[in-house]
């Protein structure tokens, strides 16, 4: 293997030529057949030829895996006209070559599949790949855990996560044991991992910043009906977007997420253990009710004062 970088010049939509550095070519014997790579990438495949020069055998295996996962997500769409933009492809190769975690591989493959389009200017996939790059394995697993739970618990509900009034009603409760079992965090300090996970997801706007929870006493103080330790999280529109793209569904919109006709297959290598709970945030309604009660009380007090005054002849 030569260590010298491979430079591939390309030109898109009459813009200045750009250089892709350290792109391995996508050969049939390395990580995908020329037929599959050609179908999946479209014209972009021509930029990188058919030989592998820079990636190690392990990296090639990882890329083979990601392309196979992308093909599975596309299904019959693999035979329709289309391709993947060069910017998206570069990021897929950069991440995919070293992506040996199955959940991360599914997310990258999902974006690769979703990015395949007949619109050569559509490079939305770079946004989601940038976010995936910023997330740890724990955070990616938690993101999948949260949104697969929201879909399972609320499928068919007339809730739009983008709606300010609807989103709090999509809040779920993640029991501590549920998180621990599915994040495989038994060997690390639990609180440290969960804080890392939820702060990280909130920082990327993948969950609402107002997540909260802890041990059973803390949970019961805020939500008397709950009798377990865990965390309350509210989904966001961007969190739904990433979930859809991770499943190759970039053509579906956020308001469609809870439509029962939108079927989202579970990740094949991540069988969930246990369940989350639907726990709508009613704090806004309770606050409005409190304000209304205070208003009624003030009106009642005023009525009593006016009645007493009339009787006394004031």
């Amino acid at each position: 293997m030569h260590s010298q970088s491979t430079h591939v010049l390309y030109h898109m939509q009459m813009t200045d030529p750009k250089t892709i550095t350290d792109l391995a070519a996508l050969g049939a014997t390395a990580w995908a057949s020329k037929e599959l790579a050609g179908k999946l990438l479209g014209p972009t495949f021509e930029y990188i030829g058919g030989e592998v020069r820079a990636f190690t055998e392990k990296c090639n295996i990882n890329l083979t895996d990601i392309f196979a996962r992308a093909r599975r997500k596309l299904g019959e769409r693999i035979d329709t006209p289309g391709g993947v933009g060069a910017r998206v492809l570069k990021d897929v190769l950069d991440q995919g070559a070293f992506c040996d975690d199955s959940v991360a591989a599914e997310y990258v493959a999902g974006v690769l599949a979703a990015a395949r389009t007949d619109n050569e200017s559509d490079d939305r996939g770079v946004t989601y790949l940038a976010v995936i790059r910023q997330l740890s394995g724990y955070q990616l697993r938690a993101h999948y855990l949260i949104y697969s739970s929201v879909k399972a618990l609320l499928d068919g509900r007339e809730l739009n996560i983008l709606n300010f009034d609807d989103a709090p009603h999509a809040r779920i409760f993640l029991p501590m044991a549920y998180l621990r079992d599915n994040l495989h965090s038994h060997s690390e300090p639990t609180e440290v991992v969960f804080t890392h996970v939820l702060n990280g997801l909130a920082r990327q706007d993948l969950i609402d910043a107002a997540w909260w929870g802890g041990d059973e006493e803390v949970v019961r103080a805020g939500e008397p009906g709950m009798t377990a330790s865990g965390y309350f999280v509210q989904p966001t529109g961007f969190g739904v977007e990433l979930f859809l793209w991770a499943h190759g569904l970039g053509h579906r919109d956020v308001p469609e997420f809870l439509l029962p006709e939108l079927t989202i297959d579970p990740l094949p290598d991540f069988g969930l253990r246990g369940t989350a709970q639907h726990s709508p945030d009613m704090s806004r309604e309770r606050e409005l009710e409190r304000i209304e009660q205070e208003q009624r009380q003030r009106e009642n007090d005023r009525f009593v004062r006016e009645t007493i005054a009339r009787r006394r002849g004031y």
Side-chain angles (χ1 to χ4, degrees), residues 275-300:
T275 58
Q277 297 174 240
H278 181 212
S279 179
D281 182 359
M282 305 299 293
S283 58
R284 188 176 304 149
E285 285 79 359
R286 287 195 292 265
E287 178 63 15
L288 290 174
E289 183 179 354
R290 183 189 66 80
I291 293 172
E292 290 174 358
Q293 287 178 344
E294 290 179 351
Q295 180 66 27
R296 287 194 297 269
Q297 185 62 48
R298 285 194 294 268
E299 292 175 355
N300 184 65

Side-chain angles (χ1 to χ4, degrees), residues 46-121:
E46 297 176 4
Y47 301 154
I48 48 183
E51 299 178 357
V52 173
R53 294 193 181 98
F55 285 118
T56 64
E57 181 178 354
K58 176 60 176 174
C59 293
N60 293 332
I61 292 172
N62 291 340
L63 288 170
T64 301
D65 181 48
I66 284 173
F67 266 65
R69 293 174 189 269
R71 181 171 190 166
R72 187 193 77 241
K73 292 172 187 288
L74 281 168
E76 294 180 354
R77 287 183 290 156
I78 190 69
D79 294 317
T80 61
V84 175
R87 291 183 66 204
V88 175
L89 175 60
K90 178 184 182 300
D91 287 352
V92 167
L93 296 179
D94 285 347
Q95 291 194 57
F98 304 97
C99 190
D100 54 5
D101 176 79
S102 62
V103 176
E106 282 285 337
Y107 270 60
V108 173
V111 174
L112 176 60
R116 187 178 185 278
T117 174
D118 58 1
N119 180 1
E120 63 180 12
S121 64

Side-chain angles (χ1 to χ4, degrees), residues 120-196:
E120 63 180 12
S121 64
D122 186 352
D123 60 357
R124 289 174 296 157
V126 298
T127 300
Y128 306 103
L129 289 167
V131 173
I132 293 169
R133 183 188 294 275
Q134 293 291 321
L135 298 178
S136 70
Y138 284 135
Q139 290 165 340
L140 278 175
R141 286 176 176 270
H143 176 265
Y144 175 74
L145 193 67
I146 290 167
Y147 284 89
S148 60
S149 296
V150 171
K151 177 66 171 173
L153 292 168
L154 303 179
D155 205 26
R157 301 283 187 95
E158 294 185 0
L159 293 173
N160 180 356
I161 307 302
L162 293 176
N163 185 291
F164 180 77
D165 294 321
D166 284 357
H169 293 275
R171 189 184 70 169
I172 62 173
F173 177 69
L174 304 169
M176 198 86 72
Y178 182 57
L179 284 170
R180 188 183 299 111
D181 289 344
N182 288 291
L183 298 184
H184 308 301
S185 59
H186 294 278
S187 59
E188 294 86 2
T190 300
E191 292 295 335
V192 172
V193 171
F194 294 164
T195 300
H196 158 77

